[in-house]
Amino acid sequence: TGPAGLFRQTTPPSAEAPVAGVMTVERRVIPDVKPVAGEITTRDLGQAVARTGGTLIRLNVREGDRVRAGQVLGVVRDARTGLETAGYAAMVRAAEAEAGRADADLTRIRGLYEKGVYARARLDQVEAAARAAHGNLDAARAQRAASAELGAQGAILAPGPGQVLKADVPVGSVVMPGQSIAVITSGPPVVRVQAPEGQARALRVGSMVQLTPDGPGGDVVSARITQVYPSVEAGQVTADIDASGLSVALVGRRIGVRLPVGERSAILIPRRFVSTRFGVDYVRLASGGDTPVQTAPGPDADTVEILSGLAAGDRIAPAAPTPAPSKPAH
């Protein structure tokens, strides 16, 4: 043994026992996502417009009401149209009287012609007058029907089934032809998003995206892109995302969307390898000690992305469990 044996040790003081679950950090290609704001809406928005000018005398709906296609939402009335219809009705009565007189003259002249009292020219003259009188009667009736139809166009009809999103024109207002009286949401609910035109190629129908209806830190909902609009407006491309699993009680509500815009290289590790102390994230190295890291949410709930603090090839171990607080002695 000797004096030298007093200083010989089988394990260095700084060495630690092997740690189970050690993994080697690697880079891998993951989808690159862009956080954008989406808006809950419906595929179609119908405008219930006034087809004729006048005064809005009745509005039958309010915001939030459900309507069916063709339902009368309000009534616009123009006093001048009613007076014109009455005038055309008087013209019809005058034309009917004239046509009756012409028919009576034709009957009388035809009878005298058959007895040889009048010549054929006289009969032709009376027949032409009778045809003209009936033509005037048909024209008067058509004018009366057109005026009545114009008055009937004062009814404002729902363009389709859906929910009233906006109806803010008060009763008694003077409206113009083509003015919107109500906005009707129609069609299935969607989340509509816009992305820069440079990323339009990454937006494909059928691609999966992630929605965060409750904001950052809330539950993540997977959804599918159902339509990409083939036009660019102000440098933005518009796409619709299926929102059948979301509540559409508030049309226009904005929610977070993570759109796939390509691929990139990143370092991903399981979340169980990260511990947080005093607001700082740490990862335990297999060689001993903890190193601070900067993290970001990973593609799923069980992984995190390492932005800084680790490099490919580093060996790490699961985070040490946090000791439970000791109970005070009684």
Side-chain angles (χ1 to χ4, degrees):
T1 57
L6 298 175
F7 302 97
R8 186 173 58 203
Q9 297 178 345
T10 58
T11 304
S14 60
E16 297 184 0
V19 180
V22 172
M23 67 169 288
T24 302
V25 175
E26 296 179 352
R27 282 190 170 271
R28 64 177 184 176
V29 177
I30 64 171
D32 189 11
V33 297
K34 177 181 179 64
V36 298
E39 181 180 355
I40 296 181
T41 181
T42 54
R43 190 170 299 279
D44 301 312
L45 288 178
Q47 300 282 343
V49 301
R51 294 176 291 174
T52 181
T55 303
L56 182 65
I57 63 172
R58 189 167 71 248
L59 186 63
N60 303 327
V61 295
R62 296 182 299 177
E63 288 84 350
D65 291 348
R66 304 291 302 184
V67 297
R68 63 183 184 278
Q71 179 178 338
V72 177
L73 306 182
V75 176
V76 174
R77 179 173 296 172
D78 187 358
R80 185 185 62 179
T81 303
L83 296 175
E84 289 179 350
T85 303
Y88 287 129
M91 292 175 60
V92 169
R93 291 192 295 270
E96 289 175 345
E98 183 64 23
R101 185 188 63 79
D103 289 340
D105 289 345
L106 178 59
T107 301
R108 184 176 64 256
I109 296 301
R110 182 178 286 120
L112 295 176
Y113 167 76
E114 293 174 353
K115 294 179 180 181
V117 175
Y118 286 117
R120 178 67 188 181
R122 176 59 176 165
L123 177 61
D124 292 343
Q125 182 182 6
V126 175
E127 287 179 344
R131 288 194 297 270
H134 281 282
N136 291 335
L137 175 60
D138 292 340
R141 286 174 175 172
Q143 288 178 329
R144 182 185 62 181
S147 180
E149 176 61 25
L150 183 61
Q153 288 185 359
I156 303 170
L157 308 179
Q163 187 177 20
V164 178
L165 179 62
K166 187 178 181 181
D168 55 357
V169 180
V171 174
S173 301
V174 177
V175 299
M176 302 297 294
Q179 180 176 344
S180 176
I181 305 299
V183 179
I184 310 298
T185 62
S186 182
V190 296
V191 175
R192 188 156 293 164
V193 297
Q194 289 184 328
E197 58 182 316
Q199 300 169 349
R201 293 184 177 180
L203 300 178
R204 296 184 178 87
V205 175
S207 298
M208 300 301 296
V209 299
Q210 294 179 338
L211 309 178
T212 53
D214 301 325
D219 294 336
V220 177
V221 179
S222 296
R224 188 182 305 273
I225 297 178
T226 58
Q227 182 174 356
V228 178
Y229 292 87
S231 63
V232 178
E233 297 182 3
Q236 300 287 318
V237 178
T238 304
D240 286 346
I241 303 171
D242 179 23
S244 56
L246 298 178
S247 172
V248 291
L250 295 177
V251 174
R253 175 188 174 194
R254 302 187 72 82
I255 64 175
V257 182
R258 300 179 67 188
L259 290 177
V261 294
E263 294 181 339
R264 61 186 177 87
S265 175
I267 294 178
L268 298 179
I269 65 173
R271 187 175 295 274
R272 69 178 186 274
F273 281 73
V274 179
S275 61
T276 303
R277 298 192 298 274
F278 304 104
V280 180
D281 293 332
Y282 293 89
V283 171
R284 185 183 182 190
L285 299 176
S287 59
D290 293 344
T291 181
V293 293
Q294 185 179 3
T295 64
D300 53 68
D302 297 331
T303 60
V304 294
E305 180 182 354
I306 302 299
L307 304 179
S308 64
L310 290 178
D314 290 345
R315 291 173 57 79
I316 60 176
T322 303
S326 58
K327 296 182 180 180
H330 295 286

